[in-house]
Amino acid sequence: MSTDPVADPFLALSARTGRFSYGAPRAAAFAAGGRLLCFLRSAGPTDSYDALWALDTTTGEERLLADPRVLAPGGGEVPLVERQLRERIRLTAAGIGTYALSGDGRFAVFALYGRLFRTGTGADGKPEEIPTPGPVFDPRPNTDGSRVAYVHQDRLYVAYCDGAAPGGDRSAVSPHDGARWGVAEFAAAEELGRARGHWWAPGGRALLAARVDESALPRFDYGGDFAYPRVGGPNADVQLWVLDAGAADAADGRAGGVRLEWDAAAHPYVTDASWESDGEILLTVQDRLQREALLLSADPATGTTRPLSRTAHPLWVDPLPGTPARLADGRMLTAADTPGEKARALAVDGRLLTGDEVQVRAVEGEFEGSLVVTAAFDEPADQHVVLVDPDTGALRRLTDGPGVHTVAVAAGHLLITAARPGEEAVRRTVRTPGGREWTPRDLSEPLPYRVAPRLARVTAYRLPTAVVLPRGHAAGQPLPVLLDVYGGPGAQAVTNDPRAQQHRQWWADRGFAVVTVDNRGTSNVSPAFAYAMYRGFSRVTLDDQVAALHELAALHPELDLTRVAVRGWSYGGYLAALAVLRRPDVFHAAVAGAPPTDFRAYDTAYTERYLGIPADNPGVYEEDCLVKDAAGLSRPLLLVHGLADDNVHPSHSLRLSEALTAAGREHELLTLPGVSHLTPGGVRERLMEKELAFLRAVL
């Protein structure tokens, strides 16, 4: 693909502004009892280098805490493990990627090009570099910020910020034993929602650390050695250890701590961990097929554990962030489904707290004695911030109107973010207990398009859909259809977030009716809706997309079903290739980006949750494999894959391409050297120009 500058004005602006994200506050967290709101933000709409800022919630004043261009004016190379973390959290900005606050909120620490920095968050705080033996990853301070734990070359180290302890390699607190210490393994970081691998005790003297042994896993080279847990094969062996943060120089190969004991053979996945006090650790573990989640209490002195709660489902336990948890009064908060699996709900000590009227999506914290949740009501494209009384289940909405609302909460302070259709910017409002409201400055590029997608629920399954037409389109004039989809489990494509509609409007203005459908199996509609994908991806996905397309054509006469193209990335790429291979009577061209063409070569945690173990369900995996369909291709197909993709290995597209070539089926294959699963800015926009040229030629 050409590396020439992007020619289209909208796409050029999209590339320069990080898809209209540069300059917007992100990664916000309250500190110092809510007195400060820390966040990352670059200097403007075309600046990709995020700096660390703080907003004083008593005055509304913003203060720059750390500027990456001042601290590292020459830039530098981002270590491989940090690049992989940025992939996991879908981070495209440069500069300070992540940061961590001390428990008292007085300090923030971060890694910048592998160097370790600490800064005070107060008015007199100044960034300082902390000496380390080499490049660091995932630094985290203790409660008072006097010590910082970090990972270097697969070992866990502690830096003493007052210089009163051994430095260099003698600051290691984990052994050099061939395992990786203090990190999240691939399955946890990519599929289970746990991106970290070490946690400070409240007293600041002990660390809970993950020990990850990947020696049984196959390895790939993505510019660095990489272990991948292939479906049906071994996972990483994950242990949790309590280490003495003052026991420096653990170079003798022994952990020298206390190992937490649970039935790891029955429950190998650690999905969450935290310290409740210096005398108790809470951890959540799951079985391999994720049908059961246990909340365990662990004694850090002995390593013994005992169960506090159990969440189970015969298909799989759909994760609900913020659960399971123990409430302040000792009751257990868990996720549950209402009767008939109509709604995702909360339960307290096993009793349903919420009902069918609300779909709970996450528990975000506590506010004025109530639980703060994000949830949907009648329209799954919207998301609201809601208070739930933990005793009665009574609901109080803090947001209204269409749009996607999120929240951060701490010590009676709220940060509510509102992304609403028809608005040119996302609104962020800080609310204090005293009634003050502040708005962190947003320096991002205003959204170019005011998009009004036509939402509808179609078919007997009430599939969420959205149609975007060209601006100024004459009613009734036929348009070729572009199905712009994802379609996979755990994701939602039809939303009222205007940021999701910008590039769809660009496609529409190129002369397409852009259609998006959330088939059964996607998230945030109902549990029954999600469980429809159990033991099979392809049939439900494709049947729902076809049925929705035909019902939408009846609602919108503009849709010309004799010219239908489909584009998607990752699972959406799988759907795109699936569509032209198995339903060429409906779909006439496809662009398939990074498609997992054979789920027998995908990862354990994601695939086995839905499809089971390959040896136990060989027919399921064979049915969902696209390679066997190669000889039937009769429609134009463009395959696109980054050669540095560590999520969907490029062999997926290469194998399908080889089968198509062997069968004499014409197609195009575009490989992107150095590009990972998260395509960087500029590459994405040039790729869209390539896609447009391809679709115009074949339609």
Side-chain angles (χ1 to χ4, degrees), residues 249-279:
D249 194 17
D252 59 1
R254 295 176 298 172
V258 176
R259 179 180 172 181
L260 302 191
E261 300 290 347
W262 74 92
D263 188 352
H267 299 91
Y269 290 135
V270 179
T271 60
D272 197 15
S274 63
W275 292 81
E276 283 291 284
S277 66
D278 283 330

Side-chain angles (χ1 to χ4, degrees), residues 442-475:
D442 187 337
L443 307 178
S444 63
E445 182 74 19
L447 298 177
Y449 298 135
R450 307 293 176 270
V451 188
R454 304 180 184 188
L455 303 181
R457 305 286 294 276
V458 301
T459 81
Y461 300 112
R462 302 194 71 232
L463 307 175
T465 67
V467 176
V468 178
L469 301 178
R471 292 173 296 167
H473 174 69

Side-chain angles (χ1 to χ4, degrees), residues 23-277:
R26 68 170 187 86
F30 286 105
R35 187 178 59 81
L36 297 175
L37 178 73
C38 296
F39 57 90
L40 298 173
R41 185 184 62 205
S42 70
T46 60
D47 179 20
S48 65
Y49 285 82
D50 279 344
L52 180 61
W53 291 80
L55 182 147
D56 189 322
T57 62
T58 63
T59 65
E61 175 191 1
E62 291 185 0
R63 186 167 60 253
L64 178 63
L65 300 180
D67 186 339
R69 286 196 169 93
V70 173
L71 298 175
E77 182 178 354
V78 178
L80 175 63
V81 289
E82 184 174 342
R83 295 201 305 271
Q84 291 171 343
L85 174 64
R86 288 170 177 256
E87 281 283 311
R88 304 289 172 262
I89 61 176
R90 307 296 185 254
L91 176 60
T92 59
I96 301 173
T98 60
Y99 66 95
L101 295 166
S102 60
D104 60 13
R106 295 173 52 239
F107 294 96
V109 302
F110 54 90
L112 184 61
Y113 305 117
R115 297 159 58 190
L116 175 60
F117 290 90
R118 183 186 75 156
T119 184
T121 58
D124 57 350
K126 294 182 180 179
E128 58 177 338
E129 184 169 3
I130 307 299
T132 64
V136 308
F137 171 69
D138 196 20
R140 295 184 181 272
N142 67 349
T143 301
D144 65 8
S146 62
R147 304 180 186 185
V148 179
Y150 62 89
V151 178
H152 166 62
Q153 292 184 347
D154 294 336
R155 297 178 70 186
L156 190 60
Y157 289 72
V158 171
Y160 288 69
C161 299
D162 57 9
D169 197 56
R170 287 180 54 79
S171 61
V173 295
S174 69
H176 185 64
D177 60 358
R180 304 176 68 208
W181 283 86
V183 299
E185 77 280 13
F186 178 94
E190 184 68 28
E191 309 295 4
L192 301 175
R194 177 174 62 83
R196 62 187 295 185
H198 60 277
W199 302 261
W200 279 101
R205 295 288 303 175
L207 279 161
L208 177 66
R211 179 187 183 274
V212 178
D213 182 357
E214 299 173 328
S215 59
L217 272 60
R219 309 193 76 86
F220 300 106
D221 183 4
Y222 295 91
D225 198 26
F226 181 78
Y228 188 83
R230 183 166 171 163
V231 62
N235 271 309
D237 175 44
V238 179
Q239 304 170 1
L240 292 180
W241 287 76
V242 178
L243 305 177
D244 183 353
D249 194 17
D252 59 1
R254 295 176 298 172
V258 176
R259 179 180 172 181
L260 302 191
E261 300 290 347
W262 74 92
D263 188 352
H267 299 91
Y269 290 135
V270 179
T271 60
D272 197 15
S274 63
W275 292 81
E276 283 291 284
S277 66

